[in-house]
Amino acid sequence: MNFSEVFKLSSLLCKFSPDGKYLASCVQYRLVVRDVNTLQILQLYTCLDQIQHIEWSADSLFILCAMYKRGLVQVWSLEQPEWHCKIDEGSAGLVASCWSPDGRHILNTTEFHLRITVWSLCTKSVSYIKYPKACLQGITFTRDGRYMALAERRDCKDYVSIFVCSDWQLLRHFDTDTQDLTGIEWAPNGCVLAVWDSCLEYKILLYSLDGRLLSAYSAYEWSLGIKCVAWSPSSQFLAVGSYDGKVRILNHVTWKMITEFGHPATINNPKIVVYKEAEKSPQLGLGCLSFPPPGAGAGPLPSSESKYEIASVPVSLQTLKPVTDRANPKIGIGMLAFSPDSYFLATRNDNIPNAVWVWDIQKLRLFAVLEQLSPVRTFQWDPQQPRLAICTGGSRLYLWSPAGCMSVQVPGEGDFAVLSLCWHLSGDSMALLSKDHVCLCFLETEASVSTACRQLGGHT
Amino acid sequence: MGDWMTVTDRGLSSESKTISQYTSEIKMSPSSLYSQQVLCSSIPLSKNVHSFFSAFCTEDNIEQSISYLDQELTTFGFPSLYEESKGKETKRELNIVAVLNCMNELLVLQRKNLLAQENVETQNLKLGSDMDHLQSCYSKLKEQLETSRREMIGLQERDRQLQCKNRNLHQLLKNEKDEVQKLQNIIASRATQYNHDMKRKEREYNKLKERLHQLVMNKKDKKIAMDILNYVGRADGKRGSWRTGKTEARNEDEMYKILLNDYEYRQKQILMENAELKKVLQQMKKEMISLLSPQKKKPRERVDDSTGTVISDVEEDAGELSRESMWDLSCETVREQLTNSIRKQWRILKSHVEKLDNQVSKVHLEGFNDEDVISRQDHEQETEKLELEIQQCKEMIKTQQQLLQQQLATACDDDTTSLLRDCYLLEEKERLKEEWSLFKEQKKNFERERRSFTEAAIRLGLERKAFEEERASWLKQQFLNMTTFDHQNSENVKLFSAFSGSSDRDNLIVHSRQPQKKPHNVSNGSPVCMSKLTKSLPASPSTSDFCQTRSCVSEHSSINVLNMTPEEIKPNQVGGECTNQKWSVASRPGSQEVF
């Protein structure tokens, strides 16, 4: 495993281009585009203000940089550096900006969710969509980019509009049976839309592309409901994480629950491997766990090394006592992610913040639990294989695969606190983001990594 | 006769108290009572004979005394003291031989009586201590009863309290449930109120938004603009098309196409799954047929015809189906056929398996029935023995191996090796012999043990029987004693009715005395008496009393007897109050009398 040198970064704004060739990162008001392989700066753009949001167009030709404070969006072209485009939302303000899947339209949401403006880069045309709903996840595009679903609110009722992205024609418009719609999400196959209600009510509705209600599911009443939702990449399963600390898996044939995964604080089943991160003094640590920085030999040795130990059951995990009289209590399933092959599901229960639970979807049972020393910030699956990268805001990167677990010290001067990470499309590298810096981590080829993992699995 | 009377009176006066303790009957006829008294007095009379003689005979009245004695003795059936007189007038001569004979007989009688008395006294003592013991037992049990009664009351009280508590808890639960219901209602009402408020707020918010929208959007905001260098081409390279009804229709078409594709894809998947399942089913069916057909011939004789026909039907079906390869058709009839045939096959298989199970169990049972029932202990012993044998065999093998190795290692010349081999063989033979003798000895020991065990079992049975009898007699005695105990204070001197009728000696005494007294009923032995007694009981004034005591006795005795060993029943100590009891009749614990 190799690490690049660190680059400056602000606001955690760093993204790989969808084609995987470039890496865009922001430093204050500058946008830097690098080649992923050589890490050389290809382009440097200067915006009018501090950039708050960047997004690659789907064809990797354009990047939009949003400056919400000034209500501005600037678009840059990679092919024509001199080309520029500036969209000013004026006094209406700007709270969100995103590309349409074709990469030629930009959707800007004005303040107070008054409307969504659709700017075209091909024609002068501007379209407006009124009554967008102010919610967590109000816009969703199908994976093929053909359709957009938009949550709307009119006359105290929730609606969903489905647009054809090619000409922004309204295809379907229907009201949903929700009290206060919070999120919508297309299934990866683009034929089913999941719509869920606010946390006050456990309700998830499934609509077909043509607006028919396929099914409605509610697990319980009178308690805080859904916290997060994720489709499996195969569109077969819909995982619903809720405030009761359970994940419920719905199937795509009957839309009924297949199973529910509880997240108890103690694990008694001896079949489940519990990896516990343990800190060791460097003398005791073995070479295979610490990865000395090959490029930067001058870097100081880490004060301590961490490694995974297989805890013997029963294991009791560290739990947080949630403050229940405040809004957004730290309970329930806050993060859910399916592996790209749909075989595994990674979850985090917010009142057991140090643990990541990996579930085997084929056998519908718990597969492994990783307990970190500090709360898990983010985890993300390798886009190519069942391999999970986890960061906890410390200077280490953690990787899990069915073969085993490992923790890697990020080299560099001082501590590189990994706050976020994102995988490269190929799964060969990932960007590790700290508050002020970004660093690329290159993983070895698949074979060598898997053998290393196996070795580690054997050692732990 | 006056003298006689005084004598009897004395005897009576000395004995009346003792007797009164042991007589049980109130309703005896006065005549029999009297005779009984007389009988009872006869023994002390004989005892005190010596002291009487000093006063009885003096120098003056030798003749009279002799004649009196003669008279007495003749009435008792002794030969006359006088020689047979030839004439009436002649004075009768005293026959010394007769006198001596009489005296001897009297002495023998006296000794016998003394012996009997001793026996009776010891028995009396035993019974007295028995009585004490039983009384103490009775009081103890009474105490126990009392304590248990108290405990029961306590427990009842506790039960009541717990029930009370339970009721309270139920009430609490109900209250809690009500509370929950109430809270749920409150939540619901709050939710509706919240929704209502939200709606109101939202309406206001919407109004404001609308106004804002008008303010911000309607005014031609110069700022809202896009500043772009030049428009770029579309990603697909096509020009944007106008929005028309056509495009709308096309969009719809496309949408449905996508949906259709999805459904087709899913259908295909389901079809594939179905096909696979069908394949599995077919394979299963085939295997079942192949599994069942060889056994078909055998069980057919036993199994009724219907199953046989089913099998043949199924086979025909299977042949048909496989021939026409109808599996690909998902036609309803085929499905039905398939499921039906599978079901039939399954039934046959199930019945077959059940039959096999039955057979297996039957075989097991038969196996058990063939041999005598082997007790578990024997079985374990056997296994242990076998294990031991295995161990020995293993050791032997080991030694043999060692020897072989040694042989190989030493590599001696042929003669010595053959010699050695012979040696080994001899050694082995000897060892075997030893083992054989050991085994025989073990077997013998085993046999002996078994015999002793059976003997012990027989003895135990006998002992138990004896014990039962003892218990019965003891019960009887207990019952009698209890009744006498109850009437101890009564003035009347009671007859003790229960003679041990089997004792010849006693009978003899009774018979010998009979002539002197009025005929009495006791002479027939105790069983008659007892039966009379029990018969006469219901009419007696003290019936209830008696019944009570009797029931009491039976209760307690039953408890005691169960808890007591025969040694306990035989009293060890002699109570002080029993020492001057002269006369009591009771069956000893060991006696064979049946009550």
Side-chain angles (χ1 to χ4, degrees):
Chain A
M1 196 181 284
N2 293 323
F3 290 89
S4 73
E5 55 184 309
V6 295
F7 308 111
K8 280 203 164 171
L9 184 78
S10 60
S11 318
L12 298 174
L13 288 174
C14 177
K15 273 178 183 162
F16 286 106
S17 65
D19 62 2
K21 282 183 190 164
Y22 312 107
L23 176 72
S25 58
C26 293
V27 186
Q28 302 295 330
Y29 53 87
R30 280 192 302 271
L31 173 71
V32 185
V33 179
R34 290 170 206 271
D35 187 286
V36 164
N37 296 316
T38 61
L39 292 176
Q40 278 181 328
I41 297 174
L42 294 178
Q43 297 294 343
L44 193 101
Y45 306 101
T46 310
C47 293
L48 291 166
D49 201 348
Q50 174 144 12
I51 303 164
Q52 284 177 281
H53 174 70
I54 60 166
E55 192 175 333
W56 284 92
S57 68
D59 53 7
S60 306
L61 293 175
F62 300 97
I63 313 171
L64 73 76
C65 304
M67 290 142 275
Y68 295 136
K69 270 188 250 169
R70 293 178 65 137
L72 270 180
V73 171
Q74 281 191 293
V75 188
W76 306 104
S77 163
L78 216 63
E79 283 179 327
Q80 301 165 276
E82 69 280 7
W83 186 87
H84 61 87
C85 171
K86 188 183 86 183
I87 302 165
D88 194 340
E89 285 292 341
S91 47
L94 182 67
V95 289
S97 181
C98 70
W99 284 102
S100 80
D102 65 355
R104 295 295 177 271
H105 295 84
I106 291 168
L107 286 85
N108 284 342
T109 311
T110 62
E111 257 183 303
F112 306 110
H113 288 79
L114 284 178
R115 67 182 183 193
I116 288 174
T117 324
V118 183
W119 301 91
S120 169
L121 299 186
C122 308
T123 61
K124 267 185 182 172
S125 68
V126 180
S127 329
Y128 299 104
I129 304 169
K130 263 189 98 178
Y131 313 114
K133 176 152 184 163
C135 62
L136 210 69
Q137 198 173 346
I139 299 177
T140 173
F141 297 98
T142 56
R143 202 152 289 186
D144 60 2
R146 255 186 236 253
Y147 302 104
M148 177 183 88
L150 178 73
E152 293 178 5
R153 184 84 173 174
R154 302 178 194 188
D155 302 327
C156 307
K157 278 198 83 170
D158 290 317
Y159 294 88
V160 168
S161 293
I162 294 169
F163 292 93
V164 182
C165 289
S166 57
D167 52 8
W168 302 108
Q169 196 174 23
L170 181 68
L171 188 69
R172 282 289 184 274
H173 178 76
F174 51 89
D175 60 332
T176 60
D177 183 24
T178 47
Q179 285 288 326
D180 181 17
L181 188 153
T182 293
I184 53 174
E185 175 86 51
W186 283 108
N189 64 8
C191 290
V192 183
L193 181 72
V195 174
W196 62 95
D197 213 331
S198 76
C199 63
L200 294 180
E201 201 168 350
Y202 195 115
K203 191 179 228 177
I204 188 156
L205 302 157
L206 294 145
Y207 289 95
S208 160
L209 179 59
D210 53 357
R212 280 179 300 125
L213 176 66
L214 294 172
S215 178
Y217 176 76
S218 170
Y220 52 82
E221 279 182 305
W222 307 122
S223 188
L224 288 179
I226 295 169
K227 197 162 190 182
C228 61
V229 170
W231 282 97
S232 78
S234 61
S235 306
Q236 269 187 312
F237 305 110
L238 180 64
V240 184
S242 51
Y243 280 93
D244 63 345
K246 280 178 180 162
V247 173
R248 291 175 175 81
I249 307 277
L250 309 184
N251 74 75
H252 76 309
V253 181
T254 60
W255 300 112
K256 297 254 167 60
M257 188 183 76
I258 305 173
T259 185
E260 61 178 30
F261 296 144
H263 292 69
T266 49
I267 292 150
N268 295 315
N269 191 341
K271 277 185 182 171
I272 292 156
V273 186
V274 181
Y275 297 100
K276 210 166 187 159
E277 189 193 358
E279 217 145 49
K280 292 268 155 136
S281 57
Q283 282 81 19
L284 293 171
L286 286 167
C288 62
L289 283 172
S290 73
F291 287 83
L301 280 167
S303 57
S304 65
E305 290 177 353
S306 88
K307 65 179 245 176
Y308 280 111
E309 284 172 348
I310 293 180
S312 55
V313 287
V315 182
S316 56
L317 306 168
Q318 236 181 328
T319 52
L320 270 185
K321 186 97 182 126
V323 187
T324 44
D325 56 349
R326 298 250 182 89
N328 302 315
K330 285 202 170 176
I331 49 168
I333 307 303
M335 282 198 263
L336 269 181
F338 277 98
S339 69
D341 54 6
S342 304
Y343 284 176
F344 296 101
L345 171 71
T347 59
R348 194 193 80 160
N349 189 356
D350 288 351
N351 51 344
I352 311 177
N354 292 12
V356 176
W357 310 65
V358 182
W359 305 86
D360 186 339
I361 295 299
Q362 278 181 303
K363 289 173 185 160
L364 294 172
R365 63 175 185 85
L366 187 58
F367 190 78
V369 178
L370 284 81
E371 195 184 17
Q372 310 296 138
L373 288 169
S374 38
V376 174
R377 282 215 157 221
T378 326
F379 54 73
Q380 199 177 10
W381 288 96
D382 181 338
Q384 299 300 325
Q385 50 173 305
R387 184 161 58 164
L388 188 71
I390 302 163
C391 63
T392 61
S395 62
R396 288 185 197 90
L397 167 71
Y398 306 95
L399 283 172
W400 175 89
S401 76
C405 247
M406 63 178 188
S407 84
V408 184
Q409 175 77 35
V410 179
E413 290 171 43
D415 264 359
F416 188 97
V418 187
L419 297 178
S420 178
L421 51 84
C422 64
W423 280 93
H424 185 257
L425 183 70
S426 65
D428 293 339
S429 59
M430 66 179 118
L432 310 176
L433 317 179
S434 77
K435 194 166 160 272
D436 301 314
H437 293 97
V438 58
C439 154
L440 254 67
C441 165
F442 300 97
L443 296 136
E444 277 100 311
T445 53
E446 199 181 317
S448 61
V449 167
S450 59
T451 51
C453 280
R454 222 163 285 143
Q455 272 181 353
L456 281 170
H459 278 292
T460 43
Chain B
M1 284 312 279
D3 279 339
W4 156 245
M5 284 310 290
T6 52
V7 168
T8 48
D9 274 343
R10 269 190 191 208
L12 268 176
S13 62
S14 68
E15 292 303 314
S16 62
K17 263 187 190 168
T18 333
I19 290 159
S20 73
Q21 283 180 357
Y22 293 96
T23 44
S24 59
E25 184 53 307
I26 317 165
K27 296 303 284 180
M28 276 286 189
S29 65
S31 60
S32 66
L33 196 72
Y34 183 64
S35 65
Q36 201 64 29
Q37 283 165 16
V38 172
L39 247 173
C40 290
S41 66
S42 65
I43 288 168
L45 175 79
S46 60
K47 201 183 172 187
N48 296 336
V49 145
H50 217 63
S51 58
F52 282 119
F53 269 114
S54 55
F56 175 61
C57 186
T58 51
E59 293 290 328
D60 316 323
N61 60 352
I62 289 173
E63 282 298 311
Q64 281 168 3
S65 300
I66 287 169
S67 68
Y68 172 70
L69 280 177
D70 178 55
Q71 217 176 329
E72 276 294 287
L73 286 170
T74 44
T75 53
F76 276 108
F78 288 101
S80 174
L81 297 180
Y82 298 104
E83 273 180 54
E84 281 299 313
S85 57
K86 278 104 197 180
K88 270 185 182 175
E89 297 308 311
T90 50
K91 202 190 168 195
R92 289 183 298 185
E93 290 270 323
L94 190 67
N95 189 351
I96 301 294
V97 178
V99 168
L100 287 176
N101 278 340
C102 273
M103 270 178 64
N104 185 42
E105 246 176 275
L106 278 171
L107 279 173
V108 166
L109 249 175
Q110 163 78 353
R111 212 166 294 135
K112 267 188 195 170
N113 281 343
L114 275 174
L115 251 171
Q117 192 190 354
E118 244 166 58
N119 277 344
V120 164
E121 267 173 15
T122 52
Q123 264 187 18
N124 200 1
L125 289 181
K126 276 178 197 166
L127 287 168
S129 61
D130 265 8
M131 180 89 170
D132 280 354
H133 181 74
L134 285 172
Q135 266 170 359
S136 68
C137 277
Y138 171 72
S139 57
K140 236 186 270 168
L141 285 170
K142 217 170 184 180
E143 264 171 40
Q144 264 183 22
L145 185 75
E146 198 56 42
T147 50
S148 52
R149 209 171 270 162
R150 237 174 284 139
E151 253 174 54
M152 202 175 76
I153 287 164
L155 285 173
Q156 271 173 349
E157 177 60 24
R158 247 183 78 195
D159 184 49
R160 200 187 57 78
Q161 278 173 0
L162 284 174
Q163 266 178 358
C164 226
K165 220 169 154 186
N166 191 19
R167 222 172 294 132
N168 286 345
L169 283 173
H170 267 295
Q171 191 58 40
L172 274 175
L173 183 71
K174 211 179 140 197
N175 288 350
E176 288 297 315
K177 268 183 185 167
D178 287 352
E179 191 75 9
V180 165
Q181 192 62 43
K182 220 165 70 188
L183 284 173
Q184 266 185 356
N185 287 342
I186 287 170
I187 288 175
S189 69
R190 288 255 170 92
T192 50
Q193 181 152 12
Y194 166 80
N195 284 337
H196 189 75
D197 285 359
M198 278 298 284
K199 250 173 209 169
R200 216 185 57 224
K201 288 260 165 66
E202 207 178 325
R203 270 194 204 110
E204 279 171 28
Y205 172 67
N206 280 345
K207 255 182 229 163
L208 285 171
K209 244 165 112 175
E210 204 68 23
R211 258 195 80 201
L212 186 69
H213 194 259
Q214 276 172 3
L215 282 172
V216 174
M217 309 299 166
N218 285 5
K219 192 172 62 177
K220 277 289 170 191
D221 193 347
K222 286 289 168 198
K223 275 178 88 182
I224 299 179
M226 184 167 72
D227 171 25
I228 188 164
L229 187 71
N230 59 298
Y231 292 106
V232 292
R234 287 168 63 93
D236 51 7
K238 284 182 211 160
R239 288 178 59 199
S241 50
W242 293 102
R243 249 193 252 177
T244 55
K246 243 188 195 171
T247 54
E248 214 168 291
R250 207 189 59 221
N251 282 335
E252 284 272 312
D253 282 355
E254 263 179 32
M255 182 193 79
Y256 283 121
K257 238 182 240 169
I258 286 170
L259 277 179
L260 268 177
N261 278 341
D262 180 53
Y263 282 122
E264 267 172 21
Y265 172 71
R266 274 162 73 169
Q267 199 204 356
K268 225 179 263 173
Q269 275 189 327
I270 286 167
L271 273 178
M272 264 159 66
E273 218 176 293
N274 262 343
E276 256 167 53
L277 286 175
K278 269 183 195 166
K279 245 187 241 166
V280 169
L281 211 59
Q282 192 182 11
Q283 198 188 342
M284 207 166 88
K285 193 178 136 89
K286 267 184 193 162
E287 274 170 18
M288 271 168 134
I289 288 167
S290 63
L291 196 76
L292 287 173
S293 50
Q295 285 151 358
K296 189 188 69 184
K297 277 137 205 164
K298 268 190 271 171
R300 212 178 222 174
E301 292 115 35
R302 270 180 268 170
V303 176
D304 34 342
D305 292 339
S306 60
T307 12
T309 52
V310 164
I311 290 170
S312 57
D313 278 353
V314 162
E315 276 174 338
E316 275 165 31
D317 282 357
E320 217 175 282
L321 288 170
S322 58
R323 206 167 46 243
E324 291 172 21
S325 68
M326 284 162 90
W327 298 99
D328 292 337
L329 302 172
S330 55
C331 166
E332 200 118 310
T333 50
V334 175
R335 203 172 60 202
E336 244 168 59
Q337 271 181 11
L338 182 71
T339 48
N340 278 341
S341 65
I342 287 281
R343 230 170 256 159
K344 274 178 202 163
Q345 293 275 350
W346 178 244
R347 232 170 280 148
I348 293 162
L349 193 71
K350 206 174 142 190
S351 65
H352 184 70
V353 168
E354 274 169 5
K355 207 166 60 202
L356 281 178
D357 268 0
N358 281 342
Q359 276 177 2
V360 166
S361 58
K362 217 181 273 173
V363 162
H364 268 271
L365 278 175
E366 276 167 10
F368 277 124
N369 288 340
D370 280 346
E371 299 156 272
D372 289 330
V373 182
I374 302 163
S375 74
R376 204 173 145 183
Q377 234 175 348
D378 288 353
H379 200 83
E380 274 167 10
Q381 276 175 356
E382 201 66 27
T383 48
E384 255 173 49
K385 222 188 280 173
L386 285 172
E387 268 170 16
L388 219 108
E389 253 171 64
I390 287 168
Q391 198 66 28
Q392 280 170 352
C393 285
K394 270 183 186 167
E395 271 167 25
M396 203 180 280
I397 288 165
K398 215 183 268 174
T399 49
Q400 273 175 349
Q401 269 179 347
Q402 273 177 356
L403 289 170
L404 272 171
Q405 274 170 357
Q406 275 177 10
Q407 215 171 4
L408 284 171
T410 50
C412 302
D413 50 325
D414 286 352
D415 290 357
T416 45
T417 47
S418 61
L419 214 134
L420 273 171
R421 207 175 287 154
D422 284 339
C423 265
Y424 290 136
L425 277 171
L426 277 169
E427 230 176 70
E428 261 178 37
K429 250 184 207 167
E430 255 173 33
R431 200 161 43 213
L432 274 170
K433 257 183 202 165
E434 265 174 30
E435 268 171 19
W436 181 246
S437 60
L438 203 83
F439 173 68
K440 268 192 170 170
E441 214 171 79
Q442 275 179 358
K443 201 175 153 187
K444 228 182 273 169
N445 281 343
F446 200 69
E447 283 287 323
R448 211 180 299 140
E449 262 176 36
R450 208 166 66 177
R451 219 177 299 134
S452 64
F453 179 74
T454 47
E455 276 168 15
I458 290 162
R459 225 181 297 140
L460 194 76
L462 282 172
E463 269 172 19
R464 182 177 291 171
K465 204 174 147 194
F467 176 68
E468 284 289 327
E469 281 163 4
E470 258 175 44
R471 194 176 73 138
S473 60
W474 180 81
L475 265 176
K476 183 186 94 179
Q477 208 47 56
Q478 177 62 27
F479 153 69
L480 289 170
N481 284 348
M482 284 312 288
T483 47
T484 50
F485 182 73
D486 276 353
H487 303 291
Q488 198 175 7
N489 296 330
S490 61
E491 288 287 317
N492 299 330
V493 178
K494 306 282 163 39
L495 165 74
F496 190 40
S497 57
F499 266 115
S500 39
S502 61
S503 149
D504 292 346
R505 212 166 43 205
D506 288 349
N507 269 352
L508 194 104
I509 296 164
V510 169
H511 284 298
S512 63
R513 282 173 193 176
Q514 253 173 353
Q516 192 191 1
K517 297 296 142 198
K518 288 167 187 175
H520 55 79
N521 303 329
V522 192
S523 59
N524 290 335
S526 59
V528 180
C529 249
M530 280 321 292
S531 63
K532 267 186 186 169
L533 172 77
T534 44
K535 268 178 209 163
S536 63
L537 272 174
S540 71
S542 60
T543 308
S544 59
D545 200 2
F546 173 78
C547 281
Q548 266 180 5
T549 51
R550 197 183 134 175
S551 64
C552 221
V553 167
S554 63
E555 259 178 42
H556 291 271
S557 63
S558 66
I559 294 161
N560 275 341
V561 167
L562 286 174
N563 293 337
M564 265 194 282
T565 56
E567 286 84 34
E568 276 177 330
I569 291 168
K570 284 179 191 170
N572 293 326
Q573 356 156 300
V574 177
E577 53 167 353
C578 302
T579 44
N580 48 356
Q581 288 168 356
K582 306 287 179 192
W583 175 249
S584 75
V585 179
S587 56
R588 272 177 298 147
S591 75
Q592 294 290 313
E593 186 182 6
V594 180
F595 184 67

